[in-house]
Amino acid sequence: MNQINRVAIVGGTHGNEFTGAYLIKKFAQFPELITRPSFETVTLLANPQAFAAARRYIDKDLNRCFLRKDLQNPNLNGYEELQAKSIKNRLATKGDKQADFILDLHSTTSNMGLTIILVNTHPFNLKLAAYLSEINPLVNIYYCAFESIAENPFVNSLCELGFAIEVGPIAQGILKAKLFQQTEELIHGVLDYIEQFNQGQIFTTKEALTLYHHLSVIDYPKKDDGTIFCMIHPQLQDKDYQALNPGDPMFLTFDNKTIVYQGESTVWPVFINEAAYYEKGIAMAFTKKEQLKIDDL
């Protein structure tokens, strides 16, 4: 693989996720923090109107607007749909504008801690994820695959190299200093790794990488009219990345009845009770825990 020449750090894809948005503002004020000798780093506040309004989006979730067919559809002209096309032109136009690596910053109300979200298994992304989890054992790696780039609706569909950083728990529309600092440290780790890669100095001593491989999303149990009649069970709340075994409590109804997990095998839930996912019909996502040998890369 050739040298990486241009890195894009994107924040505020969701306007009420302040950690990434304010890091973008910080880096704009202090660009020397993200400057490295061998490549250019650019920053982008992806959804400025939603950020100004402290809303996740204005018309449509921006991080679902990057399907290739949608980017090529001239009839899609909502605010976020036009933003997606503008971001594509800015970051995925061949030549001086093309980003070789995109880092998309997010936060969540779920207890996800420090999470790297991979949308492909490019060896560079996996080795970088392994490096980040090596220098910070609190980092988890969530792998959410798509059959092709054309089916990926996220910002990271614009570039094969890169991933999202998801941190939490944090309420929408606020900042937490600790998570802000931890996210910034991860960003510096990414930039330092890329600088080392460009200098031909990269190595990793980790023997294996733990991946949480996406399986499915789970909705809240609902009545016939579409309203929910239960909550995440207290024994499951905040237990992201912890094993959920058959028979374990999943939901608690409003009349205090427990609904248990009825699957046949152990899963590891993530995005448990994410506030933004109520409208999407998602109570949590199931993953399976895997070990990937670094030598196989």
Side-chain angles (χ1 to χ4, degrees), residues 113-127:
L114 306 177
T115 293
I116 304 299
I117 301 181
L118 298 174
V119 296
N120 63 47
T121 54
H122 191 289
F124 183 89
N125 292 335
L126 288 170
K127 290 180 180 180

Side-chain angles (χ1 to χ4, degrees), residues 45 51 72 98 123 137 192 194 199 225 228 241 246 273 284 295:
L45 182 63
F51 173 63
Q72 297 172 348
Q98 183 170 3
D192 291 342
I194 293 173
Q199 302 296 338
D225 64 1
I228 64 175
Y241 295 112
N273 206 16
M284 68 195 76
D295 289 344

Side-chain angles (χ1 to χ4, degrees), residues 13-155:
T13 301
H14 296 130
N16 59 3
E17 295 178 5
F18 280 5
T19 302
Y22 277 98
L23 278 167
I24 294 301
K25 287 185 170 293
K26 177 177 179 175
F27 295 148
Q29 185 177 0
F30 304 104
E32 67 276 8
L33 295 174
I34 55 173
T35 299
R36 299 296 185 274
S38 69
F39 60 89
E40 176 191 14
T41 305
V42 298
T43 59
L44 175 65
L45 182 63
N47 200 334
Q49 286 192 21
F51 173 63
R55 293 169 52 181
R56 184 174 175 86
Y57 56 81
I58 301 299
D59 295 324
K60 183 180 179 180
D61 190 334
L62 178 59
N63 211 33
R64 303 298 186 272
C65 289
F66 290 89
L67 287 172
R68 184 169 295 175
K69 64 181 180 63
D70 292 343
L71 293 170
Q72 297 172 348
N73 186 345
N75 297 318
L76 297 180
N77 55 13
Y79 170 68
E80 274 85 10
E81 291 164 340
L82 293 176
Q83 276 296 104
K85 294 174 183 178
S86 175
I87 293 169
K88 176 184 179 295
N89 290 336
R90 181 168 176 179
L91 300 183
T93 301
K94 291 185 177 180
D96 293 340
K97 291 185 176 181
Q98 183 170 3
D100 300 313
F101 185 99
I102 296 177
L103 187 61
D104 189 25
L105 308 178
H106 289 267
S107 57
T108 173
T109 62
S110 300
N111 190 27
M112 299 276 283
L114 306 177
T115 293
I116 304 299
I117 301 181
L118 298 174
V119 296
N120 63 47
T121 54
H122 191 289
F124 183 89
N125 292 335
L126 288 170
K127 290 180 180 180
L128 174 51
Y131 169 79
L132 294 174
S133 64
E134 182 174 28
I135 63 174
N136 188 342
L138 297 178
V139 170
N140 291 306
I141 313 299
Y142 172 42
Y143 172 47
C144 184
F146 295 90
E147 291 186 7
S148 69
I149 292 178
E151 296 180 2
N152 181 351
F154 303 153
V155 173

Side-chain angles (χ1 to χ4, degrees), residues 132-294:
L132 294 174
S133 64
E134 182 174 28
I135 63 174
N136 188 342
L138 297 178
V139 170
N140 291 306
I141 313 299
Y142 172 42
Y143 172 47
C144 184
F146 295 90
E147 291 186 7
S148 69
I149 292 178
E151 296 180 2
N152 181 351
F154 303 153
V155 173
N156 282 107
S157 69
L158 298 177
C159 187
E160 189 175 27
L161 300 185
F163 43 69
I165 293 178
E166 187 89 50
V167 299
I170 183 170
Q172 298 170 346
I174 72 166
L175 290 166
K176 277 186 178 178
K178 183 176 181 180
L179 285 175
F180 188 95
Q181 292 173 328
Q182 290 176 327
T183 305
E184 185 174 3
E185 289 173 3
L186 280 181
I187 293 169
H188 290 308
V190 169
L191 299 178
D192 291 342
Y193 182 95
I194 293 173
E195 178 64 26
Q196 289 178 307
F197 171 81
N198 283 346
Q199 302 296 338
Q201 299 174 353
I202 278 301
F203 64 94
T204 179
T205 58
K206 241 188 160 181
E207 295 182 357
L209 174 65
T210 301
L211 284 179
Y212 293 88
H213 193 154
H214 178 87
L215 295 174
S216 61
V217 295
I218 307 301
D219 196 357
Y220 293 91
K222 294 178 177 178
K223 299 178 182 178
D224 292 340
D225 64 1
T227 60
I228 64 175
F229 60 86
C230 61
M231 307 162 281
I232 300 295
H233 196 280
Q235 292 184 34
L236 180 58
Q237 180 63 48
D238 299 325
K239 298 299 195 305
D240 299 75
Y241 295 112
Q242 297 186 32
L244 179 67
N245 300 301
D248 286 349
M250 274 186 70
F251 299 105
L252 183 68
T253 68
F254 297 149
D255 56 353
N256 292 321
K257 294 179 180 178
T258 295
I259 298 175
V260 302
Y261 169 52
Q262 297 181 358
E264 297 180 354
S265 60
T266 299
V267 292
W268 285 260
V270 297
F271 282 115
I272 298 172
N273 206 16
E274 161 59 45
Y277 286 176
Y278 275 73
E279 69 176 27
K280 299 181 186 297
I282 299 174
M284 68 195 76
F286 281 172
T287 73
K288 61 179 178 179
K289 191 175 181 180
E290 299 178 336
Q291 293 291 320
L292 184 66
K293 291 184 177 180
I294 299 301

